Amino acid sequence: MSENETTGAAPLGALSFTVSGRIARPRAEVYEAVADPAQLSRYFTTAGARGRLEAGAEVSWDFADFPGRFPVTVVEAVAPERIVIEWEAAAGSTEAGTTRTTFTFAPIDDDTRTLVTITEESWTPTADGAKSAFGNCEGWTGMLAAMKAWIEHGINLREGFYA
């Protein structure tokens, strides 16, 4: 008997993760820091972002420390609440070959701060899927820290961090 059969647990279908952080700025300002390619390029896409994150848009992100342009499809953008993107995945993604990443922006403390939550899904429950999911989880956690440092203090944490 498998462990799932003995415990009654459902088999694992797909891997996903969620990371969150609080930024001491109003929700609309934090949303813009993600949606606006000029701002995103200052703390995350260090070799540039092309195109605003608007529903239906095809944009691209480039990272100085991970060369190569990454095409990004904007599935949904509802300012200042939510952005949903899909992009090509490394080994271990589901059959579509993409992952879906959802950013939510929740006002806290009378909108003086924002809770940013990033969820990525569509990884297969395999060794390759787990390795890729863990790597992206690290990347999105770093993005949240870099966004906080940039928005609150004007500091670019990515500069020299990866290379």
Side-chain angles (χ1 to χ4, degrees), residues 22-44:
R22 289 154 185 81
I23 298 177
R25 293 292 186 269
R27 175 169 68 161
E29 186 178 332
V30 176
Y31 178 96
E32 279 301 308
V34 177
D36 176 14
Q39 291 188 61
L40 195 65
S41 297
R42 299 299 304 263
Y43 68 89
F44 182 55

Side-chain angles (χ1 to χ4, degrees), residues 87-137:
W87 60 339
E88 274 189 43
S93 69
T94 57
E95 291 177 19
T98 61
T99 64
R100 179 172 282 219
T101 305
T102 301
F103 301 81
T104 59
F105 306 88
I108 52 178
D109 299 333
D110 293 323
D111 200 25
T112 59
R113 299 189 318 144
T114 302
L115 173 63
V116 181
T117 301
I118 302 172
T119 300
E120 188 171 82
E121 55 191 333
S122 305
W123 297 103
T124 57
T126 63
D128 282 344
K131 181 179 179 185
S132 294
F134 290 147
N136 279 22
C137 185

Side-chain angles (χ1 to χ4, degrees), residues 16-87:
S16 66
F17 61 83
T18 298
V19 295
S20 297
R22 289 154 185 81
I23 298 177
R25 293 292 186 269
R27 175 169 68 161
E29 186 178 332
V30 176
Y31 178 96
E32 279 301 308
V34 177
D36 176 14
Q39 291 188 61
L40 195 65
S41 297
R42 299 299 304 263
Y43 68 89
F44 182 55
T45 57
T46 51
R50 295 185 183 166
R52 182 173 173 79
L53 297 182
E54 295 176 331
E58 295 286 332
V59 304
S60 63
W61 293 349
D62 201 351
F63 301 88
D65 38 14
F66 295 99
R69 193 158 291 284
F70 295 88
V72 176
T73 301
V74 184
V75 175
E76 180 183 350
V78 180
E81 300 170 8
R82 175 180 165 99
I83 298 170
V84 180
I85 63 170
E86 289 183 347
W87 60 339

Side-chain angles (χ1 to χ4, degrees), residues 2-10:
S2 73
E3 181 179 342
N4 286 342
E5 292 172 320
T6 58
T7 64

